[in-house]
Amino acid sequence: MRRLRQLAQRTPPGRERYVDLLRALAITMVVLGHWGVTAVGYDDGRPAGHSALADLRWAWPLTWVAQVMPVFFLVGGYANAASLAARRRRGGSAAGWLVDRSARLVRPTTVLLLVLAAGAGIATLRGADPAQVRTVVWFATIPLWFLVAYVAVVALTPPMYALHRRFGLAVPVALVVLVALGDLGRLLGPAALADGNYLFGWLAVHQLGFAWYDAARATTRRTGADAAEAAEAGATAPDAARAGAAASTTAGAGPRGLFRCGLPLSGRAGALLLGGGLVALVLLTTVGPYPVAMLHIPGERLDNAAPPSLALMAAAATQLGLILLLRRPAGRRLRRSGPWQAVLAVNAVVLTLFLWHLTAAVLLVGLLDALGVLPTPPAGSAAWWAWRVPWLLALAAVLAVLVAVFGPVEARTRRPPATGPAGTGRRRLRAGLAVAGYAGVLVGLLLNSLAPKTAPEPLGLPAPALVAYLAGAGLLRLLRSGRVGRRRPG
C-alpha cells in the first residue's frame, strides 16, 4: 500500500489515467469472462472444458461489449505512441525503444512457459500421457494467441507511427478496407486472403490509439500554454482554467478529415461513433453474413475474432464511442487517490493476471477432480448457474496465489541502465539483433499456438517453439543488459 501511495503521488499531472483504467477493466473482463462461460465435463474419463456460449444464444449480443480485445489494442496504441515519442524526445532510437519495450512483455511470458514446460516434463517422467500433457498445456497457453498479435504490433510500432504522423486517420481506414477484402476471401474464396486480417484488424485499432495519444498531447500542450498565458495576463484562476478548457476544443489543429493525426475526443464524436458503430454492427449481423457473437462459436460460418472481421471493427468503433463518452467523468473520478491506487495495483501485474488465469482454472479443476468433487452440471442449467459464484471465488483464490508468486517478475521490471550514444555500426547491429529477437519470440509463440492440442509433447510445448522463443527472449535480454550493440557512458 505504501508503494502504491508513492506511485500515485508521483503520477505526472498530464497522464491520461483513463487509459490505465481501461486496461485494468479489460483484463478483469477477460479473466471473469473466460472463467464465467467455462463448462467443465468429462471426456473419456478425463476432465475437459469448453465454452458455454454455444448454449447461451441470448448472451451473444453481450459479446459486443464483452469482447474487449479491441480495448487492449486501443490502449496499447496510446501507450506505445506515448513511450516511443518520449524516447525520441530524449534522443533515443526506435531499436532501443523496441529492446526496452520487450522487457514488460517477455519476462512474465518466459516465466509462464518455463514453469509449464518444467511441470509438463515432470508429469511425463512420472508416466503421464504426452498427448494429455499437451492438452493441458495447450489450454493454459490459450492467452498466448493474443500475445502473438500484440507482440507483432509492438514490433511494427515505429514504422506504423511514422505512417500515422504522415497520413493520420487514413491509415486505420485503409486497414479496415483490407479487413473487408479479407472477409470477401472467407466468403467467396480464396479463404487464405483473410489470414492478413490477424494483423490488419489489430493494427487498425492500434492506430486509433496513436490518434488518441496525439489528440491528448495536443490538448495538454495547448491547455497548459493558454492557461499560463491567461494567468500571466492577470486573469483570475477560474478564467485561466476556462481558457485552458476552451483551448482543448481546438487542440490538434492541422490537417482535417482523414489526414488529421488527432482523434476527436469530444462527447459529440463519441456519440457519433457509438451510434454509427452500433447501426453498422446490427446491419452486418442481421442483413449481413456475420455471426452475432464477437467470440468464437463452434459451427458458425464465420469467426468474428479469429481473424478479426469487419463486424469486429464495427464493434471496436462502438466501444470507442462509449469510451469517449465516459472519458471525462471517469477522468474526474480517477483524480481521487483511492480509485487511482486500485488502477495502479491492477496495472502493476496486468500481464501476469492475463497469462496465468487459465492455469488457475487447470489447477482448480485438477484439484477438484483428484478429490472426486468436481461439479459437471450441463451448461445453462440451474445447477450450472448456481455453481458460477463459488467457481469464480475459488478461481480468484487460486489466481491470487499465482499472482503473489509470479507477479513480482512483472511488477519489478525496471528500465535498463542509461547508456551513451552508439556509432552508426552499433546502431545497425542493435537494430538487426532487436528484429531477430522479436522474430524469435513471435515464431515461438506462433508455433505453439498452431500446434495441435493433442500432439504428444513431453514438455507440453513443441520443442521448436520453445527453442525459438527462448532464443529470441535471450537475445532481447542480452540487448537490454547493454552488453551487446551499445556503448556504456564513460
Side-chain angles (χ1 to χ4, degrees):
M1 291 300 295
R2 180 181 177 184
R3 183 170 179 270
L4 285 176
R5 283 195 297 271
Q6 292 173 344
L7 288 174
Q9 291 168 359
R10 294 200 299 264
T11 301
R15 184 182 182 93
E16 181 75 82
R17 302 184 183 198
Y18 188 39
V19 170
D20 301 277
L21 172 65
L22 291 172
R23 187 187 298 110
L25 288 176
I27 198 65
T28 302
M29 290 179 66
V30 167
V31 171
L32 294 179
H34 282 169
W35 288 350
V37 300
T38 298
V40 179
Y42 280 94
D43 184 7
D44 293 331
R46 297 189 180 96
H50 68 276
S51 172
L53 272 179
D55 302 304
L56 304 173
R57 296 183 66 91
W58 59 267
W60 291 2
L62 300 180
T63 63
W64 296 1
V65 175
Q67 169 55 285
V68 291
M69 286 299 105
V71 179
F72 272 113
F73 283 90
L74 176 70
V75 300
Y78 184 104
N80 289 329
S83 176
L84 179 60
R87 181 65 172 250
R88 283 180 165 159
R89 285 195 297 271
R90 297 193 300 267
S93 66
W97 177 83
L98 282 173
V99 170
D100 295 348
R101 201 67 173 168
S102 68
R104 192 72 184 265
L105 291 171
V106 173
R107 291 186 70 207
T109 307
T110 302
V111 171
L112 172 73
L113 292 176
L114 290 178
V115 170
L116 290 176
I122 293 171
T124 301
L125 290 174
R126 292 175 63 87
D129 178 7
Q132 182 63 23
V133 168
R134 167 61 185 166
T135 299
V136 173
V137 172
W138 177 89
F139 184 82
T141 57
I142 286 176
L144 298 184
W145 263 110
F146 158 78
L147 211 58
V148 172
Y150 190 71
V151 170
V153 299
V154 169
L156 291 171
T157 290
M160 294 306 296
Y161 190 59
L163 277 178
H164 165 74
R165 296 298 300 166
R166 184 179 178 94
F167 298 108
L169 295 174
V171 179
V173 170
L175 289 166
V176 170
V177 171
L178 290 175
V179 169
L181 292 175
D183 284 355
L184 282 177
R186 282 201 280 182
L187 291 167
L188 305 176
L193 194 63
D195 290 344
N197 285 12
Y198 283 107
L199 189 60
F200 301 145
W202 297 130
L203 275 176
V205 183
H206 198 248
Q207 295 291 126
L208 292 175
F210 294 167
W212 184 359
Y213 166 74
D214 278 7
R217 179 164 173 77
T219 299
T220 301
R221 285 201 305 263
R222 184 164 300 199
T223 299
D226 286 18
E229 187 177 308
E232 289 174 2
T236 63
D239 289 338
R242 279 192 291 272
S248 69
T249 63
T250 59
R256 295 294 178 182
L258 287 180
F259 290 96
R260 66 182 294 164
C261 289
L263 182 72
L265 301 179
S266 66
R268 180 173 179 270
L272 288 173
L273 277 168
L274 176 61
L278 197 57
V279 168
L281 195 50
V282 170
L283 290 175
L284 288 169
T285 56
T286 53
V287 180
Y290 297 93
V292 173
M294 294 297 118
L295 298 170
H296 174 67
I297 302 293
E300 289 291 324
R301 182 182 183 186
L302 293 176
D303 186 339
N304 280 320
S309 69
L310 190 61
L312 185 57
M313 295 298 97
T318 304
Q319 292 175 0
L320 177 58
L322 182 60
I323 285 169
L324 293 180
L325 286 174
L326 297 176
R327 177 173 173 260
R328 287 188 177 179
R332 287 193 296 269
R333 192 167 188 82
L334 288 172
R335 293 296 166 187
R336 303 178 185 177
S337 178
W340 179 232
Q341 287 185 45
V343 170
L344 288 174
V346 176
N347 275 276
V349 291
V350 66
L351 188 57
T352 305
L353 287 166
F354 177 72
L355 290 175
W356 289 91
H357 76 281
L358 291 183
T359 301
V362 169
L363 292 174
L364 180 61
V365 168
L367 175 62
L368 295 178
D369 177 60
L371 296 175
V373 293
L374 177 63
T376 57
S381 65
W384 184 81
W385 284 110
W387 171 232
R388 291 306 86 190
V389 173
W391 167 248
L392 292 176
L393 291 176
L395 285 169
V398 175
L399 183 58
V401 173
L402 293 173
V403 171
V405 174
F406 300 110
V409 174
E410 178 183 5
R412 294 174 185 171
T413 298
R414 302 181 186 276
R415 291 185 178 181
T419 58
T424 302
R426 285 180 177 269
R427 285 199 302 269
R428 290 176 178 172
L429 173 62
R430 186 170 170 78
L433 292 176
V435 170
Y438 269 86
V441 167
L442 277 170
V443 168
L445 294 175
L446 188 59
L447 287 176
N448 174 66
S449 297
L450 294 176
K453 69 176 182 179
T454 56
E457 298 288 352
L459 295 179
L461 303 161
L466 194 57
V467 170
Y469 176 86
L470 291 178
L475 181 54
L476 291 170
R477 174 67 182 88
L478 196 61
L479 289 169
R480 291 196 303 271
S481 72
R483 290 192 286 270
V484 174
R486 64 181 177 184
R487 179 169 57 85
R488 291 185 176 278

